[in-house]
Amino acid sequence: DGLVSNFSLVMGVAGGTGNPDIVLLQCVSNYPADPADVKKRLKATMTEHCWVIKDEAGLKSGLEKVRGLEAEAQRFRASSGSEWLSAVEVRNMLITAKMMLTGSIERQDSRGAFFRSDYPETDNENWLKNIIYRQVDGRLDLGTVPVDLKYCGPTLEPAARP
């Protein structure tokens, strides 16, 4: 049966255990979800939907796929320490992917390396702010805070090129 046959892990992140600060990750040798397979599909989803050039339709499609993977990944198959470690890693990757996709949907402009083809311009009037992620009642909550411009700020005119 391998190194481990039945175990659970409590992590200090969000989840569906009734306590919004705890996730119960169940790993049993005969559960169907394979951490390596979920990780592979998550990477493909993020590459397709949240890569360099993004748009709202692609981001929303990616978020739905990640939610599907997350539902599938409630119980992982694990019969060794390395599979257990992979299960923990994939759960964290799923949380991060949801944050990336949700924040990318929220931000309706382009700046720096972040580019949305449906919002190709930088919009400092509405989007010169940071997106803040919180966990509220087991759900991801987004807010914004102003950017601290104490030492630098955006240029209003394009810089002259030599």
Side-chain angles (χ1 to χ4, degrees), residues 8-15 17 19-25 84 87-93 95:
S8 297
L9 171 70
V10 177
M11 300 169 28
V13 294
T17 61
N19 182 340
D21 297 325
I22 297 174
V23 166
L24 181 61
L25 175 60
W84 172 84
V88 172
E89 182 179 53
V90 170
R91 286 296 297 268
N92 289 334
M93 290 172 70
I95 292 166

Side-chain angles (χ1 to χ4, degrees), residues 4-5 42 48 64 82 97 107 111 123 156:
V4 180
S5 63
L42 176 61
E48 180 181 354
E64 287 307 309
S82 63
R107 180 171 287 284
R111 58 185 58 243
D123 179 3
L156 298 178

Side-chain angles (χ1 to χ4, degrees), residues 107 126-132 143-149:
R107 180 171 287 284
N126 295 303
W127 281 103
L128 188 58
K129 50 187 147 186
N130 293 314
I131 297 175
I132 304 298
T144 59
V145 295
V147 173
D148 180 359
L149 300 174

Side-chain angles (χ1 to χ4, degrees), residues 52-68:
V52 177
I53 300 174
K54 301 170 259 318
D55 63 29
E56 185 171 1
L59 291 165
K60 285 184 174 181
S61 176
L63 184 58
E64 287 307 309
K65 288 180 182 179
V66 168
R67 286 180 176 146

